[in-house]
């Protein structure tokens, strides 16, 4: 959600900043901009839309300078326009910002009373106007930045560049991630380490409340109480941080194809390549947990919804689920023996992080399942379990979803053992099934051409209905979310049994109904619901295994999945949900990796 970059370099920095912004574009692509200092003077270029538009401008109007900051925006306050694009400038200051300044109205009024007029609709401009005012009142750059930061309320990451200060960037982290990169007599700043992967492998992650003064020779870091502090320099694996499409047309295509390898890697991390145990941090204790509270957003929430079935069935653990943005604004009843589990690919989702902070003091243990081990959610959890999926760049989550499911399945089995609900034999049998997941996912991916053909007609639809029962219900929800987000086709998902309580009124010849129904204990029930749709001329696309398809009879469209054990079926059936959305989007010519209005990492509420 907005990406920030800063470079104090020894060469022209615009190309470096632009390159780093490309790796942050997944955070937002409503507009982009760069500011530099050249021969003591501040200058900037900004463009609406994707970075390519900014690159084009820079070709015709280069931006020289060896110190600079850059930004890629996901609009919050004020629509996508050049005036609202960052960097914002006032007098001798330029600012890039990620997050929300909650008291911006009060600050605008106060600054307005000083005779200051605003040139944008953004909350960010209050930061730059304040800093500029403080400079005019005689403060130094450091004093002005510090005084400005003290006035800001909300969650944000911010960077200041001052005219006349070619060897200085001031930055601050409060609620939104920010890291510093160390080079050879160069220093860098980025919203994440991926942004800086081509520049350095030496990274310092700022802690909550930190602010820092960067110069080419290093960084002075201060904590929230203004005490100078040391934060460690960690070496990142630039290979894993490096992002490219590896010959695929889209990041989403690459990330779907990577799933068998990712799932294998994640599995071998937690359970080795063979054997009958799952290795998890020793302090992780489900034996004394009386209730599991799972909280997440979007696709990660659907992973929790699947896992609820597993924790209940295999561990006998009562589970409560909620969407993070809802959870934190009700008064959840929390108990000292509750375990709270947060699932997040980015580990930075503002609502999930806020929910975590809300429950932390009141529960026995806070556990997270994340993809980014250095993320805020990981760092603020007692136990953080990485899914080892590698960077996920496509806005639509794919490999992270299946990897989240796999780690949650392992956790549910471990909980089952700790709580004495699974016999060693049953535990080993389920673990063996999990070990087979990568192979089955590869088989499901092999159905791509069939799915592509199916989506030729589907892409003409105005609305699509997804149905599933039991663990297939969250899969239906995930299928509908994927389709909406990248093809812009309106899609809804229902628990198949719920159809006759209202939504069946929608069914007509124009409504494709996609049914996820492996031949499991609920198959007969789902098949009856499917018949109800067909009796009303609905066009059914049934996704099932050989036995399910054979028993279903005459269904207009069928897609055969491998026959898989019931336990792991949700992980395998995620693949057609993803491929249906992907190929429908291709037919419709939408922007698969960067769908409109969305951003990958949602760091605002
Ligand atoms: C959908 C999607 C989103 C995310 C959600 C949570 O494809 O990617 O719904 O799942 O924004 O993000 P994380 O997992 O980063 O907390």
């Amino acid at each position: 959600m907005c990406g920030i970059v800063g470079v104090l370099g020894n060469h022209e920095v615009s190309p470096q900043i632009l390159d780093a912004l490309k790796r942050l574009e997944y955070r937002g692509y409503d507009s982009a901009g760069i500011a530099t200092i050249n021969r003591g003077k501040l200058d900037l270029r900004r463009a609406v839309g994707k970075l390519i538009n900014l690159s084009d401008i820079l070709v015709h109007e280069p931006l020289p300078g060896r110190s600079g900051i850059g930004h890629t925006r996901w609009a919050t306050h004020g629509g996508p326009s050049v005036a609202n694009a960052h960097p914002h400038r006032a007098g001798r200051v330029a600012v890039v910002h990620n997050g929300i300044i909650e008291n911006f109205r009060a600050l605008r009024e106060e600054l307005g009373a000083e005779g200051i007029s605003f040139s944008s609709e953004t909350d960010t401009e209050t930061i730059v106007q304040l800093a500029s005012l403080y400079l005019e009142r005689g403060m130094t750059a450091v004093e002005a930045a510090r005084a400005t930061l003290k006035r800001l309320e909300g969650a944000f990451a911010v960077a200041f560049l001052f005219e006349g200060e070619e060897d200085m960037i001031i930055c601050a982290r409060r609620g939104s991630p920010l890291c510093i990169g160390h080079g050879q007599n160069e220093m860098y700043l980025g919203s994440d380490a991926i942004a800086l992967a081509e520049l350095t492998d030496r990274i310092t992650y700022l802690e909550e409340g930190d602010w820092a003064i960067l110069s080419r020779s290093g960084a002075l870091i201060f904590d929230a109480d203004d005490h100078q502090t040391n934060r460690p320099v960690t070496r990142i694996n630039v290979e894993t941080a490096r992002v490219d499409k590896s010959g695929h047309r889209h990041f989403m295509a690459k990330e779907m194809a990577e799933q068998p390898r990712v799932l294998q890697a994640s599995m071998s991390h937690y359970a080795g390549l063979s054997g009958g145990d799952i290795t998890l941090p020793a302090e992780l204790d489900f034996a004394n947990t009386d209730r599991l509270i799972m909280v997440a957003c979007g696709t990660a929430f659907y992973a929790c919804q699947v896992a609820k079935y597993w924790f209940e069935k295999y561990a006998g653990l009562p589970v409560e689920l909620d969407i993070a943005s809802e959870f934190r604004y009700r008064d959840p009843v929390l108990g000292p023996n509750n375990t709270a589990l947060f699932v997040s690919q980015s580990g930075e989702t503002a609502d999930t992080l806020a929910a975590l902070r809300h429950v932390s003091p009141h529960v026995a243990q806070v556990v997270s399942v994340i993809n980014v081990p250095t993320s805020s959610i990981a760092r603020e959890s007692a136990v953080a379990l990485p899914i080892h999926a590698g960077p996920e760049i496509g806005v639509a989550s794919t490999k992270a979803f299946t990897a989240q499911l796999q780690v949650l399945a392992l956790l549910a089995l471990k909980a089952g053992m700790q709580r004495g609900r699974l016999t060693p034999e049953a535990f080993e049998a389920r673990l063996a099934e999990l070990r087979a997941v990568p192979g089955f996912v590869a088989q499901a991916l092999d159905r791509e051409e069939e799915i592509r053909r199916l989506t030729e007609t589907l892409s003409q639809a105005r609305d699509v209905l997804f149905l599933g029962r039991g663990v297939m219900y969250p899969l239906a929800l995930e299928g509908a979310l994927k389709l909406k987000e990248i093809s812009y086709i309106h899609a809804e998902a229902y628990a198949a049994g719920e159809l006759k309580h209202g939504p069946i009124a929608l069914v007509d010849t124009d409504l494709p109904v996609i049914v996820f129904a492996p031949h499991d204990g609920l198959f007969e029930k789902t098949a009856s619901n499917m018949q109800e749709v067909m009796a009303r001329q609905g066009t059914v696309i049934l996704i099932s295994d050989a036995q399910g398809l054979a028993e279903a009879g005459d269904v207009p469209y069928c897609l055969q999945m491998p026959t898989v054990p019931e336990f792991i079926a949700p992980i395998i059936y995620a693949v057609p949900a993803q491929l249906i959305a992907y190929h429908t989007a291709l037919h419709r010519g939408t922007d698969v990796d960067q769908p409109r209005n969305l951003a990958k990492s949602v760091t605002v509420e």
Side-chain angles (χ1 to χ4, degrees), residues 297-300 343-349 352 377 392 395-397 404 478 481-482 485 600-602:
C297 299
T299 288
V343 179
S344 173
Q345 186 282 128
S346 62
E348 299 293 350
T349 300
T352 312
I377 291 177
E392 191 181 64
V395 162
S397 187
Q404 283 161 354
E478 170 64 359
L481 174 64
K482 287 281 99 87
E485 97 185 292
K600 181 82 183 153
S601 180
V602 186

Side-chain angles (χ1 to χ4, degrees), residues 80-245:
S81 66
V82 172
N84 289 335
H86 302 212
H88 287 278
R89 179 187 180 165
R92 293 188 287 126
V93 196
V95 159
V96 287
H97 159 227
N98 165 30
I100 289 183
I101 306 304
E102 286 170 358
N103 59 334
F104 84 100
R105 280 196 186 82
L107 293 174
R108 257 180 114 107
E109 266 176 39
E110 180 185 321
L111 289 160
E114 296 278 345
I116 292 168
S117 56
F118 283 75
S119 56
S120 79
E121 302 155 280
T122 63
D123 52 342
T124 308
E125 200 184 339
T126 56
I127 309 176
V128 76
Q129 294 288 7
L130 259 182
S132 172
L133 182 69
Y134 290 142
L135 280 185
E136 277 173 29
R137 288 183 179 166
M139 288 189 191
T140 63
V142 173
E143 288 164 354
R146 190 60 199 134
T148 302
L149 289 168
K150 284 197 188 299
R151 301 291 317 279
L152 306 179
E153 289 167 20
F156 54 83
V158 68
F160 297 83
L161 191 64
F162 293 91
E163 193 163 84
E165 300 282 359
E166 290 200 41
D167 194 25
M168 181 194 289
I169 292 174
I170 298 181
C171 62
R173 175 200 167 132
R174 207 185 296 162
S176 296
L178 204 53
C179 60
I180 292 171
H182 303 259
Q184 290 295 338
N185 202 30
E186 295 198 344
M187 289 295 282
Y188 319 107
L189 180 70
S191 292
D192 65 26
I194 292 178
L196 307 181
E198 295 292 331
L199 298 169
T200 182
D201 64 349
R202 289 184 300 133
I203 297 290
T204 296
Y205 293 94
L206 290 184
E207 295 289 337
E208 199 43 31
D210 283 357
W211 64 284
I213 306 169
L214 268 57
S215 68
R216 284 178 180 75
S217 55
L220 286 179
I221 303 177
F222 302 86
D223 65 16
D225 298 321
D226 290 345
H227 297 127
Q228 197 178 332
T229 180
N230 281 322
R231 303 290 181 214
V233 180
T234 46
R235 283 212 183 252
I236 57 156
N237 181 342
V238 284
E239 284 314 313
T240 53
R242 207 160 266 154
V243 287
D244 61 49
K245 293 185 195 148

Side-chain angles (χ1 to χ4, degrees), residues 189-337:
L189 180 70
S191 292
D192 65 26
I194 292 178
L196 307 181
E198 295 292 331
L199 298 169
T200 182
D201 64 349
R202 289 184 300 133
I203 297 290
T204 296
Y205 293 94
L206 290 184
E207 295 289 337
E208 199 43 31
D210 283 357
W211 64 284
I213 306 169
L214 268 57
S215 68
R216 284 178 180 75
S217 55
L220 286 179
I221 303 177
F222 302 86
D223 65 16
D225 298 321
D226 290 345
H227 297 127
Q228 197 178 332
T229 180
N230 281 322
R231 303 290 181 214
V233 180
T234 46
R235 283 212 183 252
I236 57 156
N237 181 342
V238 284
E239 284 314 313
T240 53
R242 207 160 266 154
V243 287
D244 61 49
K245 293 185 195 148
S246 306
H248 290 270
R249 192 167 158 195
H250 296 103
F251 280 111
M252 183 177 175
K254 176 196 170 202
E255 287 157 8
M256 287 189 294
E258 278 176 341
Q259 289 178 108
R261 185 185 54 72
V262 161
L263 292 164
Q264 188 71 61
S266 186
M267 188 66 183
S268 60
H269 177 83
Y270 289 107
L273 290 172
S274 59
D277 200 11
I278 298 170
T279 312
L280 288 167
E283 63 270 34
L284 199 60
D285 166 38
F286 288 106
N288 299 304
T289 296
D290 58 7
R291 191 165 57 124
L292 179 65
I293 300 164
M294 298 177 82
V295 182
C297 299
T299 288
F301 175 72
Y302 298 144
C304 294
Q305 226 173 327
V306 171
K308 175 182 163 79
Y309 292 85
W310 291 334
F311 279 105
E312 287 174 349
K313 179 168 179 163
Y314 301 111
L317 191 53
V319 177
E320 189 185 328
L321 273 183
D322 212 342
I323 296 164
S325 54
E326 289 296 319
F327 179 79
R328 56 178 301 212
Y329 291 113
R330 56 191 179 84
D331 290 317
V333 180
L334 304 167
N337 295 323

